[in-house]
Amino acid sequence: MHVNNHSLLAASAAGGERMRTATALLLAALVIAAGCGRPPAATNDSAGGGGMVQIKGSDTMVNLGQAWAEAYMQTHPDSNIAVTGGGSGTGVAAMIQGTTDIAESSRPMKDKEIAQAKQRGVTPVEHKVALDALSVIVHPSNPVSKLTIDQLSDIFTGRISNWKQVGGLDEKIVLLSREKNSGSHVFFLEHVVRRGNEKGPEEYVATALMLPSSEAIASQVATDRAAIGYVGLGYFRPGKQKLIAVAKDADGPFVKPDIVTAVNGLYPIARPLYWYTNGQPQGEVRSLLDFVLSAEGQSVVDKAGFAPIRKGHVP
């Protein structure tokens, strides 16, 4: 039987080529599978210009974050910035898990969150980016115009349940609060409901309605004359809600929330607003943060109804 050597060589080469192709396909599949098993990587080290930046967290800050993003992208057209809310706790958790570049938070990170971050090899870095006067609001027709911290604590814990107990109409108080994952919920709980004692025993009364957003609270107060709630200053709309002047005690002074009283510390429920990053920001994230802290970025804060932290940008 005659065997053609050229045919054998061709068959051998074809078989080797098929083997190399199959091996390459297998390696490619393994690489894709490995990539799918990892959480999305944050882009904190991306080069400035043209990078994707994820911002997630505080519902109080979501409109401000979007305003910053829009202003920044006007001068950085190749940049892509995505801003989503969900609450401060959601943003901090996403930063710890590596699924966002920036966590927006209306309250400081908790010790347990910092410990969780360190366990995952994450180093949270805090950046103060604006100020807020957490505003207590009621319906414009409500005759009550001022309350002390003690009275607010008694209202939100249910000790005071009728407006006539604080000089208002004989009507049951409708309590509105943010949900537990909200930084505003936590801040108001610690600084008002618990009167500044973070570990105090006081809790929101069970009948308080826990709403998913600041906008939801503002909207309900605008239509319910018995309602009381709290929102970031940027969510207050004159004519739709009325601001309550707040005092630390009955001796006063009773101070209304606004940009000036937030900056000078006269309003007793003023607070910083934060960005958190994993380590010192670099690349596009660094460029965005520098813009936020610049004169132009702080003017965006003012336009959004919050208080700037940069000197010279307070009306």
Side-chain angles (χ1 to χ4, degrees), residues 4 23 61 72 99 145 183 232 236 284 289 305 313:
N4 189 317
T23 301
M61 298 176 67
Y72 178 81
T99 57
S145 59
F236 167 69
E284 188 80 82
L289 178 61
H313 287 80

Side-chain angles (χ1 to χ4, degrees), residues 5-180:
N5 289 334
H6 292 292
S7 297
L8 286 174
L9 289 171
S12 176
E17 182 62 29
R18 284 194 296 272
M19 180 64 73
R20 285 191 292 272
T21 300
T23 301
L25 289 172
L26 177 60
L27 288 173
L30 289 172
V31 169
I32 292 171
C36 292
R38 291 192 299 267
T43 57
N44 194 17
D45 59 350
S46 61
M52 162 64 81
V53 176
Q54 295 281 351
I55 303 175
K56 186 179 295 186
S58 168
D59 177 74
T60 297
M61 298 176 67
V62 67
N63 290 345
L64 176 57
Q66 289 171 344
W68 273 326
E70 291 168 4
Y72 178 81
M73 288 188 290
Q74 287 180 359
T75 54
H76 298 75
D78 293 333
S79 298
N80 192 353
I81 303 170
V83 183
T84 55
S88 298
T90 297
V92 169
M95 188 270 296
I96 293 172
Q97 293 163 7
T99 57
T100 190
D101 300 288
I102 297 167
E104 289 191 314
S105 183
S106 60
R107 47 89 175 166
M109 281 184 68
K110 299 296 181 183
D111 290 342
K112 65 180 181 180
E113 292 171 329
I114 295 173
Q116 290 169 357
K118 290 181 178 178
Q119 287 176 356
R120 292 181 62 92
V122 172
T123 304
V125 176
E126 179 183 285
H127 313 274
K128 291 181 182 179
V129 291
L131 298 172
D132 181 27
L134 189 57
S135 305
V136 179
I137 55 173
V138 297
H139 191 270
S141 67
N142 193 323
V144 175
S145 59
K146 61 181 183 179
L147 293 166
T148 65
I149 294 291
D150 283 346
Q151 286 174 318
L152 285 169
S153 177
D154 287 345
I155 288 171
F156 278 86
T157 55
R159 294 187 185 92
I160 294 176
S161 59
N162 193 299
W163 281 111
K164 69 179 180 180
Q165 294 174 265
V166 288
L169 301 175
D170 185 3
E171 193 166 18
K172 186 177 179 179
I173 297 173
V174 176
L175 289 174
L176 309 178
S177 173
R178 288 297 314 285
E179 295 173 325
K180 289 185 177 180

Side-chain angles (χ1 to χ4, degrees), residues 180-223:
K180 289 185 177 180
N181 204 42
S182 159
S184 297
H185 173 108
V186 174
F187 188 90
F188 197 83
L189 174 65
E190 294 175 354
H191 293 266
V192 178
V193 177
R194 294 178 178 170
R195 301 174 171 88
N197 179 11
E198 180 180 338
K199 305 297 183 181
E202 295 87 356
E203 296 290 345
Y204 292 96
V205 66
T207 54
L209 301 177
M210 300 293 170
L211 300 185
S213 68
S214 299
E215 190 60 54
I217 291 178
S219 296
Q220 183 152 342
V221 167
T223 59

